[in-house]
């Protein structure tokens, strides 16, 4: 597997795991919805300031999303999604030294974001929407393919698997094959098991425990667990009180092979991963001297 991603005019090193900071430009995301809105209007200033702060805290990627995937979220038109995402992507790309990913399943949004400078596509629907596959191929940007069982509205209605890890791997292997057949280079593909997307608490725990199995697919692994209900169910906390649990999950994910962690709380995650790195490097020094 390559230790970097070529993202248009940037090269993103994955030699060390990196933090992707979440910038939800939606009024209704599950944990931070509406934070960047003033009187129902998205504030470009607030969004840019939030991105700037995440970059200062050590985010290597800012993930800009305009459509909530929370179960029960209102569906929006392509124009609404474009209105939310375009100016923010343009502003961050021109003002900040960071890779920008666009969290979208909509081909028109992928195109517009790429034209404005976006570096990656983060698609929770793994390029299933009509036109998404050829758009991603034409744009030539790295793309994150996520596993989801069902659609956001109903995905948490009693999800069932015989073997969640093997089924996620089979799904991602098939999407990689479809992407390659469409002309997307393997080096451009990131994979994501989709924590919380059509999975029970137990499914998420099994996946986190056995995340390293996904290395068989030979692609960088992206993981998003930050503030999710899996953490809430374990620690019994509301979404804004899930920092400690989210940090444990990020450290476990990276220990088990994740190269990109998608989080709300950038600085604490960067520091938690610094501790993990120090311990891991000390271990390998130890092994060399034995
Ligand atoms: C947009 N979004 C929400 N949760 C996510 C996750 O777990 N992974 C990725 N790639 N995107 C996510």
């Amino acid at each position: 597997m390559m230790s970097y991603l070529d993202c248009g005019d940037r090269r993103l090193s994955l030699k060390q795991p990196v933090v992707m900071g979440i910038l939800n430009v939606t009024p209704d995301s599950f944990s931070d919805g509406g934070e960047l809105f003033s009187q129902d209007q998205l504030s470009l200033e607030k969004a840019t300031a939030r991105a700037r702060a995440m970059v200062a805290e050590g985010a290597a990627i800012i993930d800009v999303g305009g459509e909530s995937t929370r179960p029960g979220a209102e569906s929006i038109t392509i124009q609404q999604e474009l209105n939310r995402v375009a100016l923010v992507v343009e502003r961050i790309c021109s003002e900040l030294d960071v890779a920008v990913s666009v969290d979208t399943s909509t081909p028109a949004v992928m195109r517009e974001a790429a034209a404005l400078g976006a570096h990656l596509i983060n698609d929770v629907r793994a390029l299933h929407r009509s036109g998404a596959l050829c758009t991603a191929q034409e744009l030539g940007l790295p793309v994150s393919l996520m596993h989801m069982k069902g659609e956001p509205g109903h995905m948490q209605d009693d999800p069932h698997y015989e073997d969640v890890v093997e089924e996620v791997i089979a799904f991602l292997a098939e999407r990689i094959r479809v992407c390659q057949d469409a002309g997307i280079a393997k080096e451009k593909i990131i994979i994501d098991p989709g924590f919380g997307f059509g999975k029970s608490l137990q499914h998420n725990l099994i996946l986190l425990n056995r995340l390293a199995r996904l290395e068989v697919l030979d692609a960088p692994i992206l993981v998003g667990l930050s503030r999710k209900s899996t953490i809430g169910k374990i620690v019994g906390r509301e979404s804004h009180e899930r920092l400690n649990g989210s940090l444990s999950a990020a450290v476990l994910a990276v220990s088990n092979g994740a190269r990109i962690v998608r989080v709300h709380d950038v600085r604490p995650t960067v520091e938690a991963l610094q501790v993990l790195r120090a311990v891991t490097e000390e271990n390998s020094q130890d092994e060399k001297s034995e």
Side-chain angles (χ1 to χ4, degrees), residues 135-155:
T135 300
Q137 187 275 328
E138 282 166 30
L139 297 175
L141 297 179
V143 56
S144 173
L145 305 172
M146 197 194 78
H147 174 271
M148 167 161 43
K149 189 157 178 153
E151 266 289 311
H154 295 283
M155 64 189 176

Side-chain angles (χ1 to χ4, degrees), residues 212-234:
R213 249 309 270 146
L214 271 64
E215 287 171 352
V216 64
L217 296 172
D218 196 29
I221 301 171
L222 189 162
V223 159
L225 275 154
S226 177
R227 301 189 191 172
K228 284 194 176 165
S229 64
T230 293
I231 309 290
K233 284 178 189 150
I234 299 168

Side-chain angles (χ1 to χ4, degrees), residues 20 24 63 69 103 122-124 144 146 192 194-195 197 222-225 228 262:
M20 171 188 261
N24 280 325
D63 190 39
T69 45
D103 154 20
N122 173 25
D123 185 1
V124 298
S144 173
M146 197 194 78
D192 181 336
F195 286 99
F197 285 83
L222 189 162
V223 159
L225 275 154
K228 284 194 176 165
R262 183 179 181 276

Side-chain angles (χ1 to χ4, degrees), residues 80-121:
Q80 283 172 311
E81 193 182 347
L82 275 171
N83 291 347
R84 289 179 189 170
V85 165
L87 288 177
V88 176
V89 167
E90 183 178 35
R91 185 79 170 262
I92 300 174
C93 290
S94 65
E95 289 192 11
L96 303 179
D97 182 16
V98 70
V100 174
S101 77
V102 59
D103 154 20
T104 188
S105 303
T106 312
V109 177
M110 294 174 190
R111 271 186 206 288
E112 181 69 7
L116 295 169
H119 304 95
L120 285 95
I121 298 165

Side-chain angles (χ1 to χ4, degrees), residues 17-226:
V18 298
V19 171
M20 171 188 261
I22 300 171
L23 192 70
N24 280 325
V25 290
T26 54
D28 58 348
S29 279
F30 78 98
S31 117
D32 56 358
E35 267 176 15
L36 306 175
F37 283 69
S38 300
Q39 290 162 352
D40 284 348
Q41 284 293 313
L42 172 65
S43 159
L44 185 56
E45 296 314 317
K46 281 190 188 176
T48 312
R50 180 83 194 102
R52 193 183 300 284
M54 290 195 285
V55 175
E57 291 176 9
I61 309 170
I62 302 293
D63 190 39
V64 182
E67 183 191 12
S68 174
T69 45
R70 178 178 60 83
E74 218 180 279
S75 60
I76 55 165
T77 64
I78 297 175
Q79 194 54 52
Q80 283 172 311
E81 193 182 347
L82 275 171
N83 291 347
R84 289 179 189 170
V85 165
L87 288 177
V88 176
V89 167
E90 183 178 35
R91 185 79 170 262
I92 300 174
C93 290
S94 65
E95 289 192 11
L96 303 179
D97 182 16
V98 70
V100 174
S101 77
V102 59
D103 154 20
T104 188
S105 303
T106 312
V109 177
M110 294 174 190
R111 271 186 206 288
E112 181 69 7
L116 295 169
H119 304 95
L120 285 95
I121 298 165
N122 173 25
D123 185 1
V124 298
R125 294 180 182 78
L127 303 179
H128 265 111
R129 268 199 188 150
S130 170
L133 198 59
C134 66
T135 300
Q137 187 275 328
E138 282 166 30
L139 297 175
L141 297 179
V143 56
S144 173
L145 305 172
M146 197 194 78
H147 174 271
M148 167 161 43
K149 189 157 178 153
E151 266 289 311
H154 295 283
M155 64 189 176
Q156 290 308 101
D157 302 350
D158 198 20
H160 177 80
Y161 300 83
E162 290 300 317
D163 182 331
V164 65
V165 176
E166 294 312 314
E167 287 175 47
V168 165
I169 290 174
F171 170 93
L172 292 172
E174 170 63 7
R175 292 312 291 164
I176 292 172
R177 190 193 60 73
V178 169
C179 284
Q180 288 186 288
D181 287 354
I184 298 175
K186 179 75 189 301
E187 294 72 37
K188 299 277 178 192
I189 297 176
I190 301 164
I191 54 168
D192 181 336
F195 286 99
F197 285 83
K199 286 144 194 124
S200 66
L201 170 62
Q202 195 194 11
H203 296 139
N204 290 319
L205 295 177
I206 295 171
L207 272 170
L208 185 53
N209 215 354
R210 294 180 44 210
L211 191 69
R213 249 309 270 146
L214 271 64
E215 287 171 352
V216 64
L217 296 172
D218 196 29
I221 301 171
L222 189 162
V223 159
L225 275 154
S226 177

